[in-house]
Amino acid sequence: MTGGDLDATGDGGELRDGREARLPSDALPRVRRVVGLVDTDSFAKWGAHLLATAPARWDLELLTVATPRSASRAQLRSAFRGLDDRLAHLAAAPPEALEVDAIVERLRQDPPDAVLVSLIGPVAELVIEEVHRRVPRRPVLVTGLPGISYPAKWKGVFFRARADLFVLHSHREVRAYEELATEGGVEPHFALATLPFARPSGAAASRDGVSPRDSVVFAAQPSVPAERAERERVVGWLAETARRHPEWRVVIKVRAAAGEHQTHREQDPYPDLVPADAPANLVVESGPMSAHLDRAVALVTISSTAVLEAAARGIPALTLTDFGIGRHLINEVFVGSGLEGDAVDLVDGRFGTVREEWMHDNHFHPESEDDWAERTEQLMASRDAGVLRDRPAARRSRGGVLRRAWERKNALGPDDRSVLGAFALVIGAPVRALKRVVRQVRRVVRPAEVPVLLAPTSQRAASGGGPSDRLGDREEQLVPGRDAG
């Protein structure tokens, strides 16, 4: 790793005189107490499964933070499925959500060695700031992003700049975030971990199961694609696939039931877009992705992390490129993966397999190259030695107590019941409304640049027009109403 936090200041496990803050080589490894904090569905799944890969000597605890988007108990049960013995009990009995102040007080009363802050951006910033302010001899703060984090996004760095370590899941992501952080004046602090639910070790167990292999699973995303018309097109392709392949269950796998929250807001849920005359083998289901992959003959998505779970199991997959390839679709990472395709491929039952040359740089590096746990250990040793340094925030705005109250209210919404928060809302809401009006006027006067899109691609193009890999022996057929070119 090339992160700039490995220096003689103590942030990378070194004392100020250059000596490493580690246990003597003949000493037994110390048992470490590490607490994970989660809120939304995707952060709950990621945080719990990352902790489950931690060294066996880590004593683990997981707490749910009460926020407007906290996962429901049903979502948590799905997220916590398949954890190790230290956390397996969570699937049956997810922890009740606690308010931020109650959690920070617990950390203050009995500080653990480290805290994994697996929270949505504004809440992560709030919790990290509160721990810095209110917890003496604070624990090491580790954070990160669930799933695919390429291209790098400044907000991800901005909200988490004060954490001691930021976990990513591919060499490509680490390079991109180091470059972005440096450009933004933030010292890089990124570590590498294998995406916890995309480990090849999960494949053998599922293949030995008794469930039939009869499902083509579409991994829905709340904000990709964003437009209703595009989402309706996706449902139409899935319905046509179900008609052409009555031997398959075509599953629209959603992440939230009606009334449940997700990490990203969803304007047009797929269940609402399924036509009344859809074939009976087109179904909408929720539940753990791992359970759906146990029955999958193939997985389809625009850019969901689920495609990596499928690839890790050796399940054929397709990332639909009909809307192009671009940053806002989160599908640039799949260029050259061998998984790109289009609706024609989907209806034909033509899916891809991941290319070996793409894998090392993109989520499938050897686990021996992971360094997040080792670097967390080094930071905990720095804490033991009293030389764990505080990283500066990326936020440069001023405002003191009132500004902090506003950020807290913005992060927690109705879960913040403080008088100061209510006062900050009275003052801040009109200011924010005015800023929105100004931004809208700017968009009219100076329209935003159209997102750069690469042209769609397909499995047919990837194969050079040669024989196609299909699930089933069928002739190539175009989707009705789609131009052959």
Side-chain angles (χ1 to χ4, degrees):
M1 306 298 297
T2 59
D5 59 339
L6 296 177
D7 57 27
T9 63
D11 190 31
E14 296 178 358
L15 300 177
R16 298 187 186 279
D17 62 2
R19 293 180 293 110
E20 290 188 343
R22 300 192 185 195
L23 293 173
S25 59
D26 59 345
L28 292 175
R30 175 176 168 180
V31 174
R32 296 290 188 177
R33 189 166 70 88
V34 178
V35 175
L37 305 179
V38 303
D39 55 358
T40 67
D41 58 328
S42 59
F43 278 97
K45 180 178 179 180
W46 174 73
H49 284 263
L50 181 68
L51 281 181
T53 69
R57 63 182 174 275
W58 289 15
D59 180 25
L60 305 179
E61 181 183 4
L62 192 137
L63 303 174
T64 303
V65 180
T67 75
R69 298 194 206 177
S70 293
S72 69
R73 292 186 68 78
Q75 287 175 305
L76 291 176
R77 282 192 288 268
S78 293
F80 297 155
R81 187 174 185 262
L83 298 174
D84 77 338
D85 291 343
R86 293 169 293 179
L87 298 171
H89 63 282
L90 295 174
E96 295 287 348
L98 299 173
E99 294 184 355
V100 165
D101 287 338
I103 286 177
V104 174
E105 181 61 20
R106 286 179 65 161
L107 299 177
R108 190 185 73 82
Q109 293 286 349
D110 185 17
D113 294 289
V115 174
L116 174 64
V117 182
S118 180
L119 303 168
I120 195 169
V123 183
E125 181 187 35
L126 171 65
V127 169
I128 291 169
E129 177 68 22
E130 289 295 289
V131 171
H132 271 276
R133 289 180 57 242
R134 295 166 53 187
V135 180
R137 196 170 171 271
R138 66 170 181 84
V140 172
L141 295 167
V142 181
T143 191
L145 296 171
I148 296 167
S149 302
Y150 182 89
K153 295 179 176 61
W154 173 245
K155 276 190 176 181
V157 177
F158 179 84
F159 287 127
R160 300 168 177 86
R162 294 202 76 187
D164 301 294
L165 198 65
F166 190 127
V167 179
L168 294 166
H169 299 291
S170 77
H171 288 290
R172 190 178 191 180
E173 289 178 353
V174 170
R175 290 196 305 272
Y177 270 88
E178 287 181 341
E179 181 179 349
L180 182 66
T182 301
E183 289 175 355
V186 174
E187 184 181 0
H189 55 312
F190 305 104
L192 184 65
T194 300
L195 194 64
F197 31 82
R199 290 176 169 240
S201 58
S206 64
R207 289 191 181 120
D208 293 337
V210 296
S211 298
R213 288 278 183 184
D214 61 357
S215 301
V216 170
V217 180
F218 173 71
Q221 296 166 268
S223 57
V224 178
E227 300 300 325
R228 180 184 180 93
E230 293 177 339
R231 296 170 79 84
E232 288 175 337
R233 288 176 66 192
V234 172
V235 172
W237 300 333
L238 295 169
E240 184 63 20
T241 302
R243 292 189 189 97
R244 300 277 187 95
H245 301 273
E247 72 278 13
W248 292 341
R249 297 169 70 251
V250 179
V251 180
I252 300 176
K253 195 281 181 189
V254 297
R255 288 165 41 180
E260 292 180 324
H261 299 288
Q262 300 179 70
T263 301
H264 302 285
R265 300 186 189 278
E266 186 168 30
Q267 294 293 332
D268 297 292
Y270 281 105
D272 297 346
L273 306 179
V274 177
D277 62 349
N281 60 325
L282 177 65
V283 298
V284 177
E285 295 179 352
S286 58
M289 176 56 74
S290 59
H292 287 282
L293 292 179
D294 287 345
R295 295 187 63 172
V297 295
L299 182 126
V300 185
T301 189
I302 308 297
S303 57
S304 170
T305 303
V307 75
L308 301 177
E309 297 184 57
R313 292 175 177 234
I315 297 171
L318 203 63
T319 59
L320 296 174
T321 63
D322 300 80
F323 308 113
I325 299 170
R327 183 184 184 92
H328 68 293
L329 293 168
I330 324 175
N331 62 357
E332 291 174 304
V333 68
F334 295 113
V335 172
S337 67
L339 304 176
E340 313 103 292
D342 61 13
V344 177
D345 294 318
L346 170 60
V347 174
D348 282 351
R350 184 187 294 106
F351 302 91
T353 54
V354 65
R355 289 179 179 150
E356 186 174 350
E357 62 269 23
W358 178 86
M359 296 176 72
H360 181 269
D361 212 31
N362 297 278
H363 300 283
F364 292 99
H365 58 273
E367 291 182 22
S368 60
E369 296 177 6
D370 292 347
D371 66 349
W372 81 277
E374 178 183 359
R375 291 176 64 185
T376 301
E377 289 273 9
Q378 292 173 1
L379 288 162
M380 290 189 288
S382 293
R383 176 179 178 268
D384 295 342
V387 294
L388 180 66
R389 70 183 176 94
D390 291 346
R391 296 172 54 87
R395 187 181 293 278
R396 303 290 185 254
S397 57
R398 298 173 182 264
V401 174
L402 191 59
R403 178 71 194 202
R404 287 200 302 270
W406 165 254
E407 297 301 339
R408 178 187 175 93
K409 191 68 176 179
N410 186 50
L412 301 181
D415 290 295
D416 171 43
R417 300 177 182 86
S418 66
V419 174
L420 193 56
F423 181 65
L425 182 64
V426 170
I427 296 175
V431 174
R432 183 163 65 174
L434 178 60
K435 287 183 177 180
R436 285 176 177 169
V437 171
V438 171
R439 283 197 296 266
Q440 290 171 354
V441 171
R442 284 177 177 170
R443 291 191 191 105
V444 173
V445 175
R446 188 172 53 196
E449 294 183 7
V450 177
V452 176
L453 285 174
L454 300 178
T457 187
S458 70
Q459 289 291 306
R460 304 177 310 287
S463 64
S468 304
D469 291 330
R470 302 190 193 185
L471 297 182
D473 184 18
R474 293 180 177 269
E475 294 296 318
E476 180 173 312
Q477 303 174 64
L478 295 177
V479 178
R482 187 182 162 98
D483 186 83

